[in-house]
Amino acid sequence: MPAPYTGRCACGSVTATIRGEPLAVRQCWCRQCQQAAAGGPTHNATFLVAEWEMSGELAAHRTPAASGNTLIQSFCPKCGTPVMAQSSARMQMASVRLGFLDEGHGLKPDTAIWVDDAPDWAVIDPAMEKFARQPPPPVPAPRQGEGD
Ligand SMILES: [Zn+2]
Ligand SMILES: [Zn+2]
């Protein structure tokens, strides 16, 4: 399903409408994601923050990353639904948790990252592109009809 995408947390306090298409849809096995996702990976669609409206109060947990940047994981303080993750180096984009998006979004990860941190029993789709650790950040493609 193409944009717009809509999302809501389990209790409905946080909602979003996203007008743009994702820059990337990835599965992440880093330790912070395993902590957020009950031992599995998180699944995330990276969107430009300028292309959405989000309403409701978010709580955030900040973790220093090895790169020196800060990982900011946001969630609903009332129901705990993970909403998104951001890097302090790239606050113009955010990786929205696929579970936050309403059913029928049709997005599916094509890349698995931080697979070095995945547990032995992890089953990772062989069709996915894999990165041992952090890949380069997604590059916003010029939108059709812009820039000319
Ligand atoms: Zn909630
Ligand atoms: Zn992660």
Side-chain angles (χ1 to χ4, degrees):
M1 193 189 84
Y5 301 97
T6 56
R8 71 195 298 278
C9 65
C11 76
S13 299
V14 181
T15 59
T17 302
I18 305 170
R19 296 183 305 277
E21 292 296 334
L23 308 173
V25 185
R26 292 170 171 169
Q27 176 183 82
C28 182
W29 285 95
C30 80
R31 278 298 302 155
Q32 287 75 29
C33 282
Q34 290 185 45
Q35 287 170 326
T42 59
H43 297 91
N44 308 286
T46 303
F47 292 99
L48 291 174
V49 171
E51 294 185 340
W52 79 42
E53 282 91 49
M54 198 170 279
S55 68
E57 187 197 343
L58 287 174
H61 176 68
R62 292 172 165 76
T63 311
S67 58
N69 301 325
T70 301
L71 170 69
I72 304 155
Q73 293 171 293
S74 301
F75 54 94
C76 172
K78 297 200 177 85
C79 69
T81 299
V83 174
M84 64 180 176
Q86 287 176 283
S87 165
S88 58
R90 291 177 292 280
M91 293 300 285
Q92 73 277 21
M93 51 181 84
S95 293
V96 176
R97 311 304 193 189
L98 289 192
F100 173 74
L101 296 179
D102 290 330
E103 278 185 289
H105 56 73
L107 299 173
K108 131 180 171 178
D110 58 13
T111 303
I113 68 174
W114 286 97
V115 296
D116 272 6
D117 285 358
D120 292 346
W121 48 260
V123 178
I124 301 175
D125 184 345
M128 284 203 285
E129 187 180 3
K130 292 178 196 64
F131 290 87
R133 293 166 65 81
Q134 185 68 34
V139 179
R143 299 285 192 231
Q144 225 151 30
E146 283 180 18
D148 48 40

